[in-house]
Amino acid sequence: MNNKDFINAALQEIITPSHDFSIERIAYYFNANYRQTVNGEMLLYADFVKHVRLLHQVLKSVEIKIIAMVEEGDIVFSHHHVLALKHNGSKMHTQVMAQFTLQDAKIIQCDELTHLISGHDDDHDLGSRVN
């Protein structure tokens, strides 16, 4: 599996609530020293686990549409849209620009810009929310 396929699989399996939340699956894709910056907010590995757990609690369904994905060595850049249906029935559409860095066959870092295209104003921080 190349790095682009690995990132795409991680996005689909970890973010999509159709897959059960699993700390073991997060650990399969993400290094224990993982750091993610989303719109200036820093998440460490434990924060990221909380973030994924929250997404699975809030979101009923998610569709990730890859617009473009480029691989250069251990760096993968993704431009994708996230279309989500929340358990409360509301919908949201988010545009994401993310640069992933891999080390030893795991994701160690992500620098991300997330923009809420449509949805409730309270969801503007859902890309980094942990509580």
Side-chain angles (χ1 to χ4, degrees), residues 51-73:
H51 169 66
V52 173
R53 182 177 284 131
L54 176 97
L55 291 179
H56 283 254
Q57 292 169 351
V58 171
L59 303 177
K60 182 176 182 178
S61 66
V62 172
E63 180 183 359
I64 299 171
K65 291 186 173 187
I66 303 295
I67 307 303
M69 192 173 275
V70 178
E71 176 180 346
E72 187 171 314

Side-chain angles (χ1 to χ4, degrees), residues 1-16 19-36 45 48-49 52 56 64 69 74 76 100-110:
M1 176 182 310
N2 64 36
N3 288 339
K4 285 187 342 185
D5 291 340
F6 186 80
I7 295 296
N8 192 29
L11 288 171
Q12 299 296 336
E13 187 170 340
I14 301 302
I15 304 303
T16 306
H19 294 88
D20 291 334
F21 174 80
S22 166
I23 292 174
E24 292 78 20
R25 290 313 289 167
I26 293 172
Y28 173 80
Y29 289 105
F30 294 86
N31 185 296
N33 294 317
Y34 177 71
R35 293 178 180 265
Q36 178 172 331
Y45 184 85
F48 180 71
V49 170
V52 173
H56 283 254
I64 299 171
M69 192 173 275
D74 289 335
V76 175
F100 298 93
T101 303
L102 290 92
Q103 179 182 357
D104 299 325
K106 292 194 181 202
I107 305 166
I108 190 146
Q109 184 174 331
C110 177

Side-chain angles (χ1 to χ4, degrees), residues 98-128:
Q99 178 181 308
F100 298 93
T101 303
L102 290 92
Q103 179 182 357
D104 299 325
K106 292 194 181 202
I107 305 166
I108 190 146
Q109 184 174 331
C110 177
D111 293 309
E112 178 178 312
L113 295 174
T114 301
H115 171 67
L116 183 66
I117 293 173
S118 65
H120 197 276
D121 288 342
D122 291 345
D123 291 331
H124 76 279
D125 69 340
L126 196 56
S128 62

Side-chain angles (χ1 to χ4, degrees), residues 82-94:
V82 179
L83 305 161
L85 174 64
K86 294 171 60 177
H87 285 290
N88 69 9
S90 66
K91 295 179 181 179
M92 60 183 293
H93 178 185
T94 305

